[in-house]
Amino acid sequence: MSTLIPTIKNGNKRNHDYNLASLPSLPSWFDDFLGKSFGNEFMSNFNTGITLPAVNVIDGANEFVVEMAVPGLDKSDFDINVDNNLLSIGVEKETEQNEDTENYTRREFGYSSFKRTFSIPESVDTDKISASYKDGIMKIMLPKRDEAKKKPLKNIKIS
């Protein structure tokens, strides 16, 4: 049976004959260095961007449902597309805070984004895909074609 399959985008797959697993990656080395060198006071506001949200995929009798917990966003922040049997869910969010007082001006801004991509099985009717966002939960309904829907159990009597 077909299921939604997450695709890897910009993956970290290595095709080398030698083993680099014992060496730390440069980003993890910096994370380790910064995490050990500075206290939590410094790191508390350091990386407050959106992280890659976890996704639930439900295989129902009549449809697949993709659920994603992404609180604090507006419907307009989402970009959901279907292209060549790939479902992509992306978010771009810009924030800006200005604070003016008598002696100084402070301006903080940020930019956060993520993108999740899934392969859509042939059993999905892509023309009828819909989405809703309520209470921080994004739900995308992918209805199955009639021929792919699960048929009810049929009891066959012996004659």
Side-chain angles (χ1 to χ4, degrees), residues 78-91 115-118 120 126 129 131 140 142:
F78 290 92
D79 184 29
I80 302 172
N81 296 302
V82 175
D83 186 26
N84 292 329
N85 286 339
L86 285 178
L87 170 69
S88 64
I89 307 162
V91 167
K115 187 169 190 176
R116 296 290 310 256
T117 307
F118 299 90
I120 299 175
T126 57
I129 295 175
I140 302 170
L142 299 108

Side-chain angles (χ1 to χ4, degrees), residues 48 96 108 149:
T48 58
E96 186 173 329
E108 293 186 5
K149 292 180 181 176

Side-chain angles (χ1 to χ4, degrees), residues 55-152:
V55 174
N56 296 331
V57 178
I58 302 161
D59 184 359
N62 298 321
E63 66 184 355
F64 292 101
V65 178
V66 177
E67 295 178 326
M68 182 181 298
V70 281
L73 299 174
D74 297 320
K75 292 178 185 180
S76 60
D77 295 332
F78 290 92
D79 184 29
I80 302 172
N81 296 302
V82 175
D83 186 26
N84 292 329
N85 286 339
L86 285 178
L87 170 69
S88 64
I89 307 162
V91 167
E92 292 187 16
K93 176 105 175 147
E94 293 183 49
T95 58
E96 186 173 329
Q97 297 175 344
N98 291 319
E99 183 179 322
D100 292 326
T101 63
E102 195 173 305
N103 296 327
Y104 68 93
T105 299
R106 183 178 107 190
R107 180 175 181 222
E108 293 186 5
F109 61 95
Y111 177 81
S112 300
S113 68
F114 73 82
K115 187 169 190 176
R116 296 290 310 256
T117 307
F118 299 90
S119 294
I120 299 175
E122 294 292 328
S123 61
V124 170
D125 188 351
T126 57
D127 294 331
K128 296 181 180 176
I129 295 175
S130 62
S132 65
Y133 182 67
K134 183 178 178 185
D135 297 330
I137 305 292
M138 170 59 70
K139 284 188 181 182
I140 302 170
M141 286 65 69
L142 299 108
K144 295 180 181 178
R145 298 181 192 277
D146 288 335
E147 61 270 12
K149 292 180 181 176
K150 295 179 183 175
K151 308 277 191 265

